[in-house]
Amino acid sequence: MVIPLATTGTATFDQIAIVTGVVGLLYVALAGLLWRERTGRVTLVGRFADTIGRLDGVPRWAALTPYLHAVSLLACAFGVWWDIAVHIDKGRDTGPFGTPAHYPIFFGILGVIVSGVLPIALARKPLPARTIKLTKGWRIPCSAALITVCGTFALVGFPLDDVWHHLFGEDVTLWGPTHLLMIGGVVFSIFARLLAIAEVEQLMGINKRRLFQELVSVGALLIAWDLFSTEFNYGVPQFPLILQPLLIVFGSAMAFTILRARRGPGTTFAALAVYLVIRGGIAWAVAEPLGEIVGHFPLLIVEALLVEVVAFALGNKNRFRLGLVSGVLIGTVGVVAEYAWSQVWMPIAWPSSMLPSAIGYGVIVGAGAGLVGAWLATRYAEVAGEERAIGIKHIRPVAVRRTHQLGAVGLVAVVATVFFCVPRTADAGVSGVVSLERVATGAEPTAYVTITLTPADAAAHVDGARWFEALAWQGGGLVYHPMQKVADGTYRSADPLPMYGKWKSMIRLHQGPRDMVAAWVYAPEDLAIAKPAIQVSNGQTVEFVNEQQTLRREERTDVPRWMWNAGYALLAVVGLLEVIGIAWLVGRGARGGRMRAAHLAAGERERETA
């Protein structure tokens, strides 16, 4: 079977040459650095690391990575939000460098890789108690290996994205496999950064500078996690709305628990401040100087407050109790708070009909995320030199095993719930008669859209819908207006829709937990993908179809289903490998920290006896 390749949105030869050339030069430079450092030669990078290490009071291998990694994460985050805004405003691009927004993403990913390779090249004693042996006399920190692996997975997603477009056309969605591969690799690298901070703490102890780095890293985790919700934050989600509160609960419960389970009062507010300042700054920069649409975001203030209150009431010695109670509260009170915020500023206000299911699923996801955060906090504490797992009242070997079990249960609960909510259906059985009330005519016509639904009971589906809106995008901006009821079964857009140029205008209906359909109002002719123009006229009956046919007009429909499934299966395998890598390397570092702490404690007891 021969599948013809798509011709839109794919890389030209010059773009392929740029990517290959830049990556090749970077790898040659890194290979040279590795060779010179491992053969004892002096390098400018090594001298710089020695200087920064003396100033910061850290080993040379840990001197440069915190700063480079932070800049790289900022570049990736800024690039992703800018890129998505460009796609929403203007439609598809022409390859890996089809828009300027791709450059900060690309160089940010390269920066993440360099952040992992630098400590590998500069690794000298003192090193953490548990390392990875590459050759005789060459051991590297676990964190360096993890950052490098995560960055590599992210970089692989860049060329694979072009391959995906060749095979399937453009899937203009953040949650395409290759997009998630790139974003996931960068997000997971933050867990490695927290591991590196714990490794340095094991050797040098904690001080205000390293605590500040940890606060920034947790704030970065909140920012990076919000990337997964970007389509919801921009108002063009392509998956069930229930996933937005679940992602908020997952990210906030996990991140705040990781921090507060180890550090003192008020630390969650410090991480929250990092999140709000940087996330707000990126939203402003994309909207104002760059002239794209505004990216909304959750506040997470109540979530941080809940974790602080629980820690104040229960303490943070029993980390799993702290994570579990905090997660349940975030899944209930936190969800209600974000529901209220969605009514104020989110592009799609959460309907009250969704609140019971959001709280129900939120409790499961929050509890699971809290357990995952507690597991990570416990392991990081052990890496830093804590002698035993705190909060499980058994002898130490059983305690460690029990924490693994609790962390695994939490992760399974979160993943199973999220995956259960992801699938969509398109069983509307709804059509409607459209009438247009012209506002502007001539070259740029606009009109209010009124639709009378059939069959007669169709209005019952709309009354409890997650959203029922008129949407226009990719014509130079984004327009979305709720459909307002004017009579039984008849609805009118709150404002006019554009019906000219490159605009794609439609009516979207998300009914029930997962049913998502849409009806065309206007779309231009697109010769590149052999799609005719669509122009609905007064009195015309339109059918609601699978929403993907309208939001992803460029996506091909002649590709066998098994190829789509294979793509997502490959993403699942890669994601599983990254999770296993995090668990193994963090666990390996924790074992070394426990042994070192036990050794130091034994030595102290011997001195006291003597």
Side-chain angles (χ1 to χ4, degrees), residues 22-178:
V22 171
V23 173
L25 288 174
L26 176 67
Y27 275 61
V28 168
L30 291 176
L33 175 65
L34 286 165
W35 176 74
R36 289 185 64 83
E37 283 289 336
R38 300 321 303 174
T39 55
R41 290 170 170 80
V42 177
T43 64
L44 290 175
V45 174
R47 287 181 175 178
F48 187 46
D50 290 334
T51 300
I52 299 299
R54 285 193 298 270
L55 294 174
D56 284 356
V58 299
R60 71 195 305 260
W61 55 265
L64 303 179
T65 295
Y67 306 102
L68 178 59
H69 190 253
V71 172
S72 301
L73 290 177
L74 186 60
C76 286
F78 174 73
V80 169
W81 273 301
W82 184 14
D83 183 51
I84 294 173
V86 169
H87 282 298
I88 293 171
D89 282 355
K90 300 177 177 63
R92 62 177 179 260
D93 54 38
T94 57
F97 293 112
T99 68
H102 288 185
Y103 286 90
I105 299 173
F106 176 61
F107 287 107
I109 291 173
L110 292 182
V112 172
I113 293 176
V114 176
S115 299
V117 175
L118 283 180
I120 293 174
L122 301 172
R124 292 181 189 171
K125 292 182 179 180
L127 291 169
R130 201 70 181 265
T131 55
I132 296 175
K133 181 180 179 181
L134 295 183
T135 64
K136 185 178 180 180
W138 187 8
R139 290 184 172 274
I140 64 171
C142 294
S143 59
L146 185 53
I147 292 178
T148 304
V149 169
C150 291
T152 301
F153 276 128
L155 182 61
V156 167
F158 213 81
L160 283 182
D161 191 47
D162 191 64
V163 174
W164 183 268
H165 293 332
H166 269 291
L167 291 174
F168 302 105
E170 283 229 18
D171 56 339
V172 188
T173 173
L174 174 70
W175 287 14
T178 52

Side-chain angles (χ1 to χ4, degrees), residues 231-458:
E231 288 185 354
F232 297 97
N233 296 340
Y234 273 129
V236 286
Q238 300 186 33
F239 290 85
L241 186 60
I242 187 65
L243 289 166
Q244 187 178 17
L246 298 189
L247 290 172
I248 293 172
V249 170
F250 187 2
S252 59
M254 177 177 62
F256 287 137
T257 299
I258 289 174
L259 183 61
R260 190 61 181 87
R262 294 190 60 211
R263 304 305 181 191
T267 48
T268 58
F269 295 135
L272 175 67
V274 173
Y275 162 77
L276 290 175
V277 170
I278 297 179
R279 182 66 187 89
I282 292 174
W284 173 84
V286 171
E288 294 300 328
L290 298 174
E292 305 294 344
I293 62 175
V294 176
H296 302 249
F297 51 90
L299 288 180
L300 305 184
I301 294 174
V302 172
E303 290 85 336
L305 178 62
L306 289 171
V307 177
E308 286 288 345
V309 169
V310 173
F312 177 78
L314 303 178
N316 63 350
K317 297 300 182 182
N318 189 326
R319 298 190 179 104
F320 287 87
R321 182 177 62 183
L322 170 65
L324 183 64
V325 176
S326 298
V328 170
L329 288 176
I330 288 173
T332 51
V333 180
V335 166
V336 173
E338 296 299 341
Y339 162 79
W341 177 241
S342 78
Q343 310 301 310
V344 175
W345 198 51
M346 282 294 180
I348 298 178
W350 301 352
S352 57
S353 60
M354 190 182 77
L355 204 51
S357 57
I359 292 175
Y361 291 131
V363 168
I364 300 173
V365 171
L371 292 176
V372 172
W375 183 89
L376 286 165
T378 301
R379 299 287 84 82
Y380 290 142
E382 291 172 343
V383 173
E386 185 175 274
E387 186 174 357
R388 64 181 297 275
I390 296 295
I392 306 297
K393 297 179 180 179
H394 295 283
I395 60 173
R396 189 171 67 86
V398 176
V400 173
R401 190 179 306 116
R402 181 66 58 83
T403 63
H404 291 333
Q405 294 169 351
L406 290 173
V409 168
L411 182 62
V412 169
V414 170
V415 172
T417 305
V418 171
F419 271 79
F420 175 77
C421 295
V422 164
R424 299 154 296 178
T425 58
D427 304 321
V430 177
S431 60
V433 178
V434 172
S435 61
L436 303 175
E437 181 184 337
R438 300 286 180 177
V439 175
T441 58
E444 297 183 353
T446 62
Y448 287 91
V449 179
T450 301
I451 186 168
T452 300
L453 298 176
T454 55
D457 63 348

